[in-house]
């Protein structure tokens, strides 16, 4: 794949994998929160009636889980792309130590 077609294909594949990972990770975060606290996570952590501790806890836990899941999904898809096409996805640079 080359040029604009490859760039568009990567955007679609990369975005799709990140969205799917985010949705799955959110479900994991909600389940983990329920197991850890015995209650549902706050629906709106910004609301004044939610304690600061609960709001910050939910933001940190869910953000970390979703962020890591999206990172891992994008890396996996980029690896598949590279093995399939012989090149890194458009816009992704090779990191050299």
């Amino acid at each position: 794949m080359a040029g604009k077609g490859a760039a568009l294909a990567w955007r679609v594949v990369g975005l799709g994998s990140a969205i799917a990972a985010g949705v799955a990770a959110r479900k994991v975060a909600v389940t983990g929160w329920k197991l850890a606290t015995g209650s549902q996570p706050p629906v709106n952590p910004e609301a004044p009636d939610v304690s600061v501790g609960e709001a910050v806890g939910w933001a940190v836990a869910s953000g970390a889980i979703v962020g890591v899941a999206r990172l891992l999904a994008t890396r996996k898809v980029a690896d598949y792309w590279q093995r399939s096409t012989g090149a890194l996805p458009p816009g992704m640079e090779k990191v050299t130590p």
Side-chain angles (χ1 to χ4, degrees), residues 27-58:
K27 290 180 182 182
V28 169
V30 168
T31 301
W33 184 268
K34 287 182 201 176
L35 289 172
T37 66
S39 63
Q40 293 284 345
V43 173
N44 183 3
E46 294 89 5
D49 60 334
V50 175
S51 74
V52 171
E54 184 178 25
V56 170
W58 174 243

Side-chain angles (χ1 to χ4, degrees), residues 10 74-75 77-79 82 87-95:
W10 171 247
T74 301
R75 286 175 53 98
V77 172
D79 180 59
Q82 186 175 23
L88 287 171
M92 192 172 282
E93 298 174 2
K94 181 114 178 138
V95 177

